[in-house]
């Protein structure tokens, strides 16, 4: 079975531009998580969904960040407008049945905002 | 805020030696998990230990959990060059929201 698929793998854009990151979770997984990883702050949970419904978005840093999950096989994380401090690696992960079990991660999107 | 804190931050050993990494956390947990991350890749789940378990094995991995000290350790025996990676502990809380809280990781280098 295919793992979690994220696109693009790398994104370089100028500040002020809109950025959209995409994720396809593992089929049948009920939970989807978005994380951000930086050297300074480590891995931070931004938001997670259960059965396509956003459950906890308390980790979203600002209103510039938004996430959607229109169906069970697709989610997006959008940053508008982007700023240099948003530069990080963004990971999507999914898990089955419980939000506290093993999570399966994609290979991430490395985002650089110039 | 970070729940888990790994120790040491970096570890370099010779191939064939055992590697031990530690993790401390602050609040009550449902379970604790260990993940590996190779450079440029996503995290890979290694092992999960529940709060009522004290020790768990998986291949060359041994995990212990001491809930009274709020700490866990990951032992990798007979290390190989391919074990070179960053290792993270993650905790799942008892109540409240789902999801995991990750530490900042231990970077392990296995010298051939």
């Amino acid at each position: 079975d295919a793992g979690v698929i994220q696109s693009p793998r790398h994104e370089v854009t100028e500040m002020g531009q809109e950025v959209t990151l995409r994720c396809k979770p593992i089929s049948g997984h009920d939970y989807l998580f978005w994380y951000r990883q930086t050297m300074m702050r480590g891995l931070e949970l931004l938001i997670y969904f259960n059965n396509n419904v956003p459950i906890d978005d308390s980790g979203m840093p600002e209103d510039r960040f938004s996430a959607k999950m229109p169906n069970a096989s697709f989610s997006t994380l959008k940053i508008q407008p982007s700023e240099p401090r948003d530069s990080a690696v963004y990971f999507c992960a999914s898990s089955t049945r419980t939000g506290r079990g093993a999570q399966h991660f994609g290979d991430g999107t490395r985002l650089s905002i110039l | 805020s970070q729940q888990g804190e790994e120790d040491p931050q970096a570890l370099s050993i010779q191939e064939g030696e055992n590697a031990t990494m530690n993790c401390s956390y602050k609040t009550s947990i449902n379970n604790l998990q260990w993940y590996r991350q190779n450079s440029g890749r996503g995290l890979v789940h290694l092992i999960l230990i529940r709060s009522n378990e004290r020790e768990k094995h998986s291949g060359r991995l041994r995990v212990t959990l001491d809930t009274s000290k709020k700490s866990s350790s990951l032992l990798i025996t007979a290390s190989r060059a391919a074990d070179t990676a960053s290792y993270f502990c993650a905790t799942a809380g008892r109540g409240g929201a789902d999801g995991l809280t990750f530490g900042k990781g231990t970077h392990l280098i296995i010298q051939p």
Side-chain angles (χ1 to χ4, degrees):
Chain A
D1 193 10
V4 175
I5 299 172
Q6 292 187 246
S7 65
R9 286 297 315 277
H10 303 273
E11 174 90 12
V12 181
T13 191
E14 293 187 348
M15 66 176 293
Q17 297 297 307
E18 178 178 290
V19 173
T20 299
L21 311 180
R22 297 172 176 81
C23 174
K24 177 179 169 57
I26 293 173
S27 177
H29 280 194
D30 300 322
Y31 284 81
L32 183 140
F33 304 85
W34 282 100
Y35 292 91
R36 178 173 68 177
Q37 186 177 40
T38 61
M39 289 295 293
M40 289 296 296
R41 300 176 67 87
L43 199 65
E44 302 173 280
L45 176 63
L46 300 177
I47 186 172
Y48 76 92
F49 296 82
N50 178 213
N51 292 323
N52 313 338
V53 177
I55 302 300
D56 184 357
D57 65 355
S58 60
M60 297 285 261
E62 299 172 34
D63 290 346
R64 299 184 296 106
F65 286 69
S66 63
K68 293 182 179 179
M69 192 165 186
N71 57 63
S73 57
F74 184 65
S75 178
T76 59
L77 178 67
K78 189 172 293 188
I79 308 172
Q80 166 63 16
S82 58
E83 296 183 4
R85 59 194 168 119
D86 301 332
S87 297
V89 181
Y90 290 81
F91 288 101
C92 173
S94 68
S95 68
T96 181
R97 290 187 294 111
T98 170
R100 305 183 192 202
Q103 295 186 9
H104 300 259
F105 281 73
D107 280 336
T109 295
R110 183 172 295 275
L111 178 63
S112 296
I113 308 297
L114 306 178
Chain B
S1 63
Q2 295 294 326
Q3 163 81 307
E5 292 286 339
E6 289 90 345
D7 169 52
Q9 290 187 339
L11 179 62
S12 180
I13 61 173
Q14 295 295 122
E15 195 168 19
E17 294 180 339
N18 295 342
T20 300
M21 289 157 272
N22 302 296
C23 169
S24 60
Y25 58 91
K26 296 175 183 175
T27 61
S28 296
I29 61 171
N30 175 281
N31 67 71
L32 185 144
Q33 304 174 31
W34 285 90
Y35 288 77
R36 183 189 74 231
Q37 183 179 30
N38 291 92
S39 181
R41 303 298 301 272
L43 281 74
V44 174
H45 180 261
L46 296 175
I47 196 165
L48 180 153
I49 185 165
R50 302 188 192 286
S51 61
N52 61 352
E53 297 176 308
R54 292 297 166 257
E55 188 171 313
K56 204 161 184 180
H57 297 254
S58 176
R60 293 183 297 113
L61 305 180
R62 173 179 170 252
V63 169
T64 62
L65 179 65
D66 186 335
T67 53
S68 66
K69 294 181 179 178
K70 291 186 169 56
S71 67
S72 173
S73 67
L74 171 67
L75 169 68
I76 304 174
T77 60
S79 62
R80 305 166 181 170
D83 295 329
T84 294
S86 291
Y87 292 82
F88 296 86
C89 69
T91 54
R94 279 196 178 280
D98 288 321
L100 303 176
T101 305
F102 285 82
K104 289 193 175 181
T106 292
H107 185 52
L108 175 65
I109 297 173
I110 308 299
Q111 308 275 8

